[in-house]
PDB file of all heavy atoms in Angstrom:
ATOM      1  N   ASN P   1       0.841  -1.199   0.005  1.00 98.00           N
ATOM      2  CA  ASN P   1       0.006  -0.009   0.002  1.00 98.00           C
ATOM      3  C   ASN P   1       0.867   1.254  -0.003  1.00 98.00           C
ATOM      4  O   ASN P   1       2.043   1.192   0.365  1.00 98.00           O
ATOM      5  CB  ASN P   1      -0.930   0.023   1.212  1.00 98.00           C
ATOM      6  CG  ASN P   1      -1.890  -1.145   1.253  1.00 98.00           C
ATOM      7  OD1 ASN P   1      -2.392  -1.598   0.226  1.00 98.00           O
ATOM      8  ND2 ASN P   1      -2.168  -1.643   2.463  1.00 98.00           N
ATOM      9  N   MET P   2       0.283   2.366  -0.389  1.00 98.00           N
ATOM     10  CA  MET P   2       0.977   3.646  -0.416  1.00 98.00           C
ATOM     11  C   MET P   2       2.302   3.543  -1.136  1.00 98.00           C
ATOM     12  O   MET P   2       3.345   3.953  -0.627  1.00 98.00           O
ATOM     13  CB  MET P   2       1.158   4.194   1.013  1.00 98.00           C
ATOM     14  CG  MET P   2      -0.154   4.465   1.748  1.00 98.00           C
ATOM     15  SD  MET P   2      -1.169   5.696   0.895  1.00 98.00           S
ATOM     16  CE  MET P   2      -0.123   7.155   1.002  1.00 98.00           C
ATOM     17  N   LEU P   3       2.256   3.001  -2.323  1.00 98.00           N
ATOM     18  CA  LEU P   3       3.484   2.768  -3.089  1.00 98.00           C
ATOM     19  C   LEU P   3       4.139   4.076  -3.521  1.00 98.00           C
ATOM     20  O   LEU P   3       3.450   5.052  -3.821  1.00 98.00           O
ATOM     21  CB  LEU P   3       3.179   1.893  -4.311  1.00 98.00           C
ATOM     22  CG  LEU P   3       2.960   0.407  -3.982  1.00 98.00           C
ATOM     23  CD1 LEU P   3       2.235  -0.285  -5.113  1.00 98.00           C
ATOM     24  CD2 LEU P   3       4.306  -0.258  -3.709  1.00 98.00           C
ATOM     25  N   LYS P   4       5.467   4.063  -3.538  1.00 98.00           N
ATOM     26  CA  LYS P   4       6.284   5.212  -3.893  1.00 98.00           C
ATOM     27  C   LYS P   4       7.124   4.879  -5.128  1.00 98.00           C
ATOM     28  O   LYS P   4       7.404   3.717  -5.380  1.00 98.00           O
ATOM     29  CB  LYS P   4       7.208   5.594  -2.740  1.00 98.00           C
ATOM     30  CG  LYS P   4       6.499   5.854  -1.409  1.00 98.00           C
ATOM     31  CD  LYS P   4       7.511   6.080  -0.300  1.00 98.00           C
ATOM     32  CE  LYS P   4       6.833   6.330   1.025  1.00 98.00           C
ATOM     33  NZ  LYS P   4       7.832   6.533   2.104  1.00 98.00           N
ATOM     34  N   PRO P   5       7.550   5.901  -5.871  1.00 97.00           N
ATOM     35  CA  PRO P   5       8.417   5.609  -7.029  1.00 97.00           C
ATOM     36  C   PRO P   5       9.656   4.819  -6.665  1.00 97.00           C
ATOM     37  O   PRO P   5      10.105   3.980  -7.468  1.00 97.00           O
ATOM     38  CB  PRO P   5       8.761   7.006  -7.546  1.00 97.00           C
ATOM     39  CG  PRO P   5       7.592   7.838  -7.166  1.00 97.00           C
ATOM     40  CD  PRO P   5       7.150   7.319  -5.836  1.00 97.00           C
ATOM     41  N   GLU P   6      10.219   5.028  -5.479  1.00 96.00           N
ATOM     42  CA  GLU P   6      11.400   4.293  -5.077  1.00 96.00           C
ATOM     43  C   GLU P   6      11.122   2.819  -4.768  1.00 96.00           C
ATOM     44  O   GLU P   6      12.068   2.066  -4.520  1.00 96.00           O
ATOM     45  CB  GLU P   6      12.065   4.951  -3.852  1.00 96.00           C
ATOM     46  CG  GLU P   6      11.121   5.223  -2.705  1.00 96.00           C
ATOM     47  CD  GLU P   6      10.597   6.647  -2.686  1.00 96.00           C
ATOM     48  OE1 GLU P   6      10.259   7.164  -3.771  1.00 96.00           O
ATOM     49  OE2 GLU P   6      10.543   7.255  -1.600  1.00 96.00           O
ATOM     50  N   ASP P   7       9.864   2.410  -4.773  1.00 98.00           N
ATOM     51  CA  ASP P   7       9.532   1.001  -4.651  1.00 98.00           C
ATOM     52  C   ASP P   7       9.694   0.256  -5.968  1.00 98.00           C
ATOM     53  O   ASP P   7       9.564  -0.990  -5.996  1.00 98.00           O
ATOM     54  CB  ASP P   7       8.102   0.818  -4.147  1.00 98.00           C
ATOM     55  CG  ASP P   7       7.905   1.310  -2.727  1.00 98.00           C
ATOM     56  OD1 ASP P   7       8.802   1.079  -1.874  1.00 98.00           O
ATOM     57  OD2 ASP P   7       6.848   1.924  -2.459  1.00 98.00           O
ATOM     58  N   THR P   8       9.925   0.965  -7.056  1.00 98.00           N
ATOM     59  CA  THR P   8      10.088   0.348  -8.367  1.00 98.00           C
ATOM     60  C   THR P   8      11.266  -0.615  -8.361  1.00 98.00           C
ATOM     61  O   THR P   8      12.391  -0.234  -8.031  1.00 98.00           O
ATOM     62  CB  THR P   8      10.278   1.406  -9.441  1.00 98.00           C
ATOM     63  OG1 THR P   8       9.111   2.221  -9.539  1.00 98.00           O
ATOM     64  CG2 THR P   8      10.540   0.767 -10.811  1.00 98.00           C
ATOM     65  N   ALA P   9      11.019  -1.860  -8.705  1.00 98.00           N
ATOM     66  CA  ALA P   9      12.042  -2.897  -8.665  1.00 98.00           C
ATOM     67  C   ALA P   9      11.456  -4.199  -9.180  1.00 98.00           C
ATOM     68  O   ALA P   9      10.250  -4.298  -9.417  1.00 98.00           O
ATOM     69  CB  ALA P   9      12.573  -3.115  -7.237  1.00 98.00           C
ATOM     70  N   ILE P  10      12.324  -5.191  -9.387  1.00 97.00           N
ATOM     71  CA  ILE P  10      11.870  -6.545  -9.602  1.00 97.00           C
ATOM     72  C   ILE P  10      11.741  -7.211  -8.231  1.00 97.00           C
ATOM     73  O   ILE P  10      12.654  -7.182  -7.437  1.00 97.00           O
ATOM     74  CB  ILE P  10      12.864  -7.349 -10.478  1.00 97.00           C
ATOM     75  CG1 ILE P  10      13.015  -6.692 -11.854  1.00 97.00           C
ATOM     76  CG2 ILE P  10      12.358  -8.778 -10.655  1.00 97.00           C
ATOM     77  CD1 ILE P  10      14.040  -7.353 -12.725  1.00 97.00           C
ATOM     78  N   TYR P  11      10.582  -7.786  -7.980  1.00 98.00           N
ATOM     79  CA  TYR P  11      10.294  -8.402  -6.705  1.00 98.00           C
ATOM     80  C   TYR P  11      10.337  -9.922  -6.837  1.00 98.00           C
ATOM     81  O   TYR P  11       9.800 -10.482  -7.796  1.00 98.00           O
ATOM     82  CB  TYR P  11       8.920  -7.968  -6.186  1.00 98.00           C
ATOM     83  CG  TYR P  11       8.910  -6.572  -5.633  1.00 98.00           C
ATOM     84  CD1 TYR P  11       9.046  -5.471  -6.464  1.00 98.00           C
ATOM     85  CD2 TYR P  11       8.781  -6.351  -4.250  1.00 98.00           C
ATOM     86  CE1 TYR P  11       9.058  -4.182  -5.937  1.00 98.00           C
ATOM     87  CE2 TYR P  11       8.793  -5.081  -3.735  1.00 98.00           C
ATOM     88  CZ  TYR P  11       8.924  -3.994  -4.581  1.00 98.00           C
ATOM     89  OH  TYR P  11       8.935  -2.718  -4.056  1.00 98.00           O
ATOM     90  N   TYR P  12      10.976 -10.566  -5.862  1.00 98.00           N
ATOM     91  CA  TYR P  12      11.136 -12.019  -5.843  1.00 98.00           C
ATOM     92  C   TYR P  12      10.593 -12.594  -4.535  1.00 98.00           C
ATOM     93  O   TYR P  12      10.778 -12.003  -3.481  1.00 98.00           O
ATOM     94  CB  TYR P  12      12.607 -12.419  -5.933  1.00 98.00           C
ATOM     95  CG  TYR P  12      13.348 -11.933  -7.150  1.00 98.00           C
ATOM     96  CD1 TYR P  12      13.956 -10.685  -7.159  1.00 98.00           C
ATOM     97  CD2 TYR P  12      13.428 -12.718  -8.295  1.00 98.00           C
ATOM     98  CE1 TYR P  12      14.641 -10.226  -8.283  1.00 98.00           C
ATOM     99  CE2 TYR P  12      14.127 -12.278  -9.419  1.00 98.00           C
ATOM    100  CZ  TYR P  12      14.722 -11.022  -9.403  1.00 98.00           C
ATOM    101  OH  TYR P  12      15.405 -10.588 -10.511  1.00 98.00           O
ATOM    102  N   CYS P  13       9.928 -13.734  -4.619  1.00 97.00           N
ATOM    103  CA  CYS P  13       9.645 -14.495  -3.407  1.00 97.00           C
ATOM    104  C   CYS P  13      10.688 -15.599  -3.284  1.00 97.00           C
ATOM    105  O   CYS P  13      11.270 -16.055  -4.271  1.00 97.00           O
ATOM    106  CB  CYS P  13       8.234 -15.063  -3.381  1.00 97.00           C
ATOM    107  SG  CYS P  13       7.882 -16.376  -4.548  1.00 97.00           S
ATOM    108  N   ALA P  14      10.921 -16.030  -2.063  1.00 97.00           N
ATOM    109  CA  ALA P  14      11.928 -17.042  -1.787  1.00 97.00           C
ATOM    110  C   ALA P  14      11.518 -17.872  -0.588  1.00 97.00           C
ATOM    111  O   ALA P  14      10.638 -17.480   0.181  1.00 97.00           O
ATOM    112  CB  ALA P  14      13.295 -16.382  -1.532  1.00 97.00           C
ATOM    113  N   ALA P  15      12.164 -19.025  -0.436  1.00 97.00           N
ATOM    114  CA  ALA P  15      11.860 -19.932   0.662  1.00 97.00           C
ATOM    115  C   ALA P  15      13.147 -20.500   1.226  1.00 97.00           C
ATOM    116  O   ALA P  15      14.140 -20.636   0.517  1.00 97.00           O
ATOM    117  CB  ALA P  15      10.947 -21.066   0.199  1.00 97.00           C
ATOM    118  N   THR P  16      13.109 -20.838   2.513  1.00 96.00           N
ATOM    119  CA  THR P  16      14.257 -21.433   3.192  1.00 96.00           C
ATOM    120  C   THR P  16      13.811 -22.613   4.020  1.00 96.00           C
ATOM    121  O   THR P  16      12.691 -22.632   4.575  1.00 96.00           O
ATOM    122  CB  THR P  16      14.970 -20.400   4.078  1.00 96.00           C
ATOM    123  OG1 THR P  16      16.048 -21.033   4.774  1.00 96.00           O
ATOM    124  CG2 THR P  16      14.030 -19.790   5.104  1.00 96.00           C
ATOM    125  N   TYR P  17      14.681 -23.600   4.121  1.00 95.00           N
ATOM    126  CA  TYR P  17      14.463 -24.751   4.991  1.00 95.00           C
ATOM    127  C   TYR P  17      15.031 -24.520   6.399  1.00 95.00           C
ATOM    128  O   TYR P  17      14.822 -25.357   7.280  1.00 95.00           O
ATOM    129  CB  TYR P  17      15.090 -26.009   4.403  1.00 95.00           C
ATOM    130  CG  TYR P  17      14.473 -26.543   3.140  1.00 95.00           C
ATOM    131  CD1 TYR P  17      15.063 -27.615   2.453  1.00 95.00           C
ATOM    132  CD2 TYR P  17      13.299 -26.025   2.628  1.00 95.00           C
ATOM    133  CE1 TYR P  17      14.514 -28.113   1.310  1.00 95.00           C
ATOM    134  CE2 TYR P  17      12.734 -26.521   1.461  1.00 95.00           C
ATOM    135  CZ  TYR P  17      13.338 -27.585   0.800  1.00 95.00           C
ATOM    136  OH  TYR P  17      12.786 -28.082  -0.348  1.00 95.00           O
ATOM    137  N   ASP P  18      15.767 -23.436   6.625  1.00 94.00           N
ATOM    138  CA  ASP P  18      16.392 -23.174   7.913  1.00 94.00           C
ATOM    139  C   ASP P  18      15.357 -23.041   9.011  1.00 94.00           C
ATOM    140  O   ASP P  18      14.305 -22.395   8.822  1.00 94.00           O
ATOM    141  CB  ASP P  18      17.243 -21.902   7.870  1.00 94.00           C
ATOM    142  CG  ASP P  18      18.474 -22.052   7.006  1.00 94.00           C
ATOM    143  OD1 ASP P  18      18.806 -23.173   6.603  1.00 94.00           O
ATOM    144  OD2 ASP P  18      19.107 -21.009   6.733  1.00 94.00           O
ATOM    145  N   ASP P  19      15.641 -23.604  10.197  1.00 90.00           N
ATOM    146  CA  ASP P  19      14.712 -23.517  11.327  1.00 90.00           C
ATOM    147  C   ASP P  19      14.454 -22.087  11.743  1.00 90.00           C
ATOM    148  O   ASP P  19      13.340 -21.735  12.127  1.00 90.00           O
ATOM    149  CB  ASP P  19      15.248 -24.320  12.507  1.00 90.00           C
ATOM    150  CG  ASP P  19      15.151 -25.813  12.315  1.00 90.00           C
ATOM    151  OD1 ASP P  19      14.450 -26.260  11.395  1.00 90.00           O
ATOM    152  OD2 ASP P  19      15.794 -26.558  13.098  1.00 90.00           O
ATOM    153  N   TYR P  20      15.477 -21.234  11.702  1.00 86.00           N
ATOM    154  CA  TYR P  20      15.366 -19.833  12.059  1.00 86.00           C
ATOM    155  C   TYR P  20      15.569 -18.977  10.820  1.00 86.00           C
ATOM    156  O   TYR P  20      16.465 -18.141  10.747  1.00 86.00           O
ATOM    157  CB  TYR P  20      16.354 -19.494  13.175  1.00 86.00           C
ATOM    158  CG  TYR P  20      16.137 -20.297  14.432  1.00 86.00           C
ATOM    159  CD1 TYR P  20      16.888 -21.436  14.670  1.00 86.00           C
ATOM    160  CD2 TYR P  20      15.177 -19.922  15.347  1.00 86.00           C
ATOM    161  CE1 TYR P  20      16.673 -22.198  15.820  1.00 86.00           C
ATOM    162  CE2 TYR P  20      14.950 -20.670  16.491  1.00 86.00           C
ATOM    163  CZ  TYR P  20      15.706 -21.810  16.728  1.00 86.00           C
ATOM    164  OH  TYR P  20      15.487 -22.547  17.864  1.00 86.00           O
ATOM    165  N   GLY P  21      14.698 -19.187   9.851  1.00 90.00           N
ATOM    166  CA  GLY P  21      14.877 -18.599   8.531  1.00 90.00           C
ATOM    167  C   GLY P  21      14.425 -17.163   8.375  1.00 90.00           C
ATOM    168  O   GLY P  21      14.599 -16.606   7.282  1.00 90.00           O
ATOM    169  N   CYS P  22      13.832 -16.585   9.382  1.00 95.00           N
ATOM    170  CA  CYS P  22      13.355 -15.197   9.296  1.00 95.00           C
ATOM    171  C   CYS P  22      13.887 -14.430  10.479  1.00 95.00           C
ATOM    172  O   CYS P  22      13.539 -14.742  11.636  1.00 95.00           O
ATOM    173  CB  CYS P  22      11.831 -15.160   9.259  1.00 95.00           C
ATOM    174  SG  CYS P  22      11.116 -13.519   9.177  1.00 95.00           S
ATOM    175  N   PRO P  23      14.738 -13.395  10.237  1.00 92.00           N
ATOM    176  CA  PRO P  23      15.118 -12.849   8.938  1.00 92.00           C
ATOM    177  C   PRO P  23      16.446 -13.346   8.382  1.00 92.00           C
ATOM    178  O   PRO P  23      16.852 -12.919   7.317  1.00 92.00           O
ATOM    179  CB  PRO P  23      15.238 -11.353   9.253  1.00 92.00           C
ATOM    180  CG  PRO P  23      15.764 -11.319  10.644  1.00 92.00           C
ATOM    181  CD  PRO P  23      15.126 -12.507  11.356  1.00 92.00           C
ATOM    182  N   ASP P  24      17.129 -14.254   9.098  1.00 88.00           N
ATOM    183  CA  ASP P  24      18.523 -14.570   8.791  1.00 88.00           C
ATOM    184  C   ASP P  24      18.714 -15.905   8.082  1.00 88.00           C
ATOM    185  O   ASP P  24      19.834 -16.434   8.048  1.00 88.00           O
ATOM    186  CB  ASP P  24      19.356 -14.542  10.063  1.00 88.00           C
ATOM    187  CG  ASP P  24      19.352 -13.189  10.737  1.00 88.00           C
ATOM    188  OD1 ASP P  24      19.392 -12.173  10.013  1.00 88.00           O
ATOM    189  OD2 ASP P  24      19.329 -13.155  11.984  1.00 88.00           O
ATOM    190  N   GLY P  25      17.697 -16.467   7.525  1.00 90.00           N
ATOM    191  CA  GLY P  25      17.827 -17.751   6.855  1.00 90.00           C
ATOM    192  C   GLY P  25      18.545 -17.670   5.532  1.00 90.00           C
ATOM    193  O   GLY P  25      18.661 -16.589   4.920  1.00 90.00           O
ATOM    194  N   GLU P  26      19.034 -18.805   5.091  1.00 94.00           N
ATOM    195  CA  GLU P  26      19.625 -18.932   3.761  1.00 94.00           C
ATOM    196  C   GLU P  26      18.497 -19.290   2.778  1.00 94.00           C
ATOM    197  O   GLU P  26      18.010 -20.437   2.807  1.00 94.00           O
ATOM    198  CB  GLU P  26      20.740 -19.968   3.750  1.00 94.00           C
ATOM    199  CG  GLU P  26      21.411 -20.120   2.389  1.00 94.00           C
ATOM    200  CD  GLU P  26      22.509 -21.171   2.409  1.00 94.00           C
ATOM    201  OE1 GLU P  26      22.707 -21.811   3.446  1.00 94.00           O
ATOM    202  OE2 GLU P  26      23.174 -21.338   1.362  1.00 94.00           O
TER     203      GLU P  26
END
């Protein structure tokens, strides 16, 4: 919401199997 021009980018989703994967997972 409330998107700004500086939000312009390619966005990727990703997944990790690490037990403590958020925010420091591989």
